[in-house]
């Protein structure tokens, strides 16, 4: 089983020093949205740096950092280049009708119905040949902005297989500085 030890501040704004004893397991980094975008700012920049530096630092330590993405039914590996950088594959621009239909589906079809659709699709078509299967001690890290991607059933399958789940909280401004956030954006 993986064990995370906090060693204290690293002297920079962006984080702390940690020691991860992984016992030979992998760190699976969700890159679903980043994979679809060529953006190099904000959350995609964080995800790209986690993958790039994680692979560089992990390799000599024997830690496999594997970037993955959700393909609609399961998680599959994401291609990286020789410098450990994610190779983006932006989605083709959909026409207006397809974008409107997708938005209406999200607004009017409940999450439970979309989950049932996902289960039926998986039963009919199965998983991809290159599906990533988690094992005991693997860590599934969710640093990407994939909160609207219906992947929670696949995450539950990974957790049932023994993977640990790590979620990255990006935006603390509303919590730390509520005075600069419009009141409508604050929780009651």
């Amino acid at each position: 089983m993986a064990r995370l030890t906090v060693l204290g501040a690293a002297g920079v704004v962006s984080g702390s020093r940690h020691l991860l004893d992984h016992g030979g397991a992998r760190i699976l980094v969700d890159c679903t949205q980043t994979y679809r975008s060529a953006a190099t700012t904000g959350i995609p920049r964080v995800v790209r740096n986690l993958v790039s530096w994680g692979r560089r630092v992990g390799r000599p330590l024997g830690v496999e950092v594997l970037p993955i993405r959700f393909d609609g039914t399961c998680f599959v590996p994401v291609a990286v280049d020789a410098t450990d950088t994610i190779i983006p594959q932006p989605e083709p621009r959909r026409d207006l009708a397809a974008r409107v239909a997708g938005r209406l589906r999200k607004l009017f079809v409940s999450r439970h119905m979309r989950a049932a659709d996902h289960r039926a699709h998986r039963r009919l078509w199965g998983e991809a040949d290159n599906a990533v299967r988690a094992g005991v001690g693997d860590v599934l890290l969710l640093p990407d902005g994939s909160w609207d991607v219906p992947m929670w059933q696949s995450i539950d399958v990974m957790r049932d297989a023994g993977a640990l789940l790590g979620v990255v909280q990006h935006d603390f401004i509303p919590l730390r500085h509520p005075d600069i956030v419009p009141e409508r954006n604050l929780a009651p």
Side-chain angles (χ1 to χ4, degrees), residues 2-14:
R3 185 177 67 232
L4 180 68
T5 305
V6 178
L7 302 173
V12 295
V13 174
S14 62

Side-chain angles (χ1 to χ4, degrees), residues 1-179:
M1 171 171 244
R3 185 177 67 232
L4 180 68
T5 305
V6 178
L7 302 173
V12 295
V13 174
S14 62
S16 298
R17 290 181 8 199
H18 299 86
L19 173 64
L20 177 65
D21 178 8
H22 62 91
R26 302 169 298 171
I27 300 174
L28 309 171
V29 182
D30 171 48
C31 304
T32 302
Q33 297 293 5
T34 297
Y35 174 78
R36 297 177 183 165
S37 167
T40 57
T41 61
I43 292 174
R45 180 183 66 191
V46 171
V47 173
R48 291 179 200 288
N49 282 327
L50 277 171
V51 169
S52 179
W53 287 103
R55 290 172 62 87
R56 292 177 198 169
V57 171
R59 197 172 292 118
L61 299 172
V63 177
E64 180 184 4
V65 176
L66 180 64
I68 58 174
R69 68 176 175 86
F70 186 69
D71 79 343
T73 59
C74 61
F75 286 97
V76 295
V78 168
V80 294
D81 63 19
T83 64
D84 293 318
T85 303
I86 295 170
I87 301 171
Q89 296 291 323
E91 288 184 299
R93 183 107 172 118
R94 297 183 301 166
D95 64 6
L96 179 61
R99 290 194 316 252
V100 169
R103 177 59 71 190
L104 288 173
R105 182 174 188 264
K106 193 182 283 187
L107 288 172
F108 294 112
V109 178
S110 75
R111 193 176 85 176
H112 299 294
M113 291 299 294
R114 289 193 308 260
D117 182 48
H118 171 74
R119 285 191 302 272
H121 184 275
R122 188 177 237 166
R123 274 193 295 271
L124 285 172
W125 304 106
E127 290 186 338
D129 292 338
N130 60 343
V132 174
R133 288 175 177 65
V136 174
D138 284 345
V139 176
L140 173 58
L141 183 62
L142 304 177
D144 211 353
S146 301
W147 42 83
D148 64 340
V149 177
M151 61 186 178
W152 290 101
Q153 287 185 317
S154 294
I155 291 171
D156 288 342
V157 168
M158 289 184 152
R159 291 178 68 200
D160 290 345
L164 301 173
L165 178 63
V167 179
V168 176
Q169 170 68 40
H170 288 278
D171 194 356
F172 285 97
I173 292 173
L175 301 174
R176 312 242 19 234
H177 303 285
D179 53 310

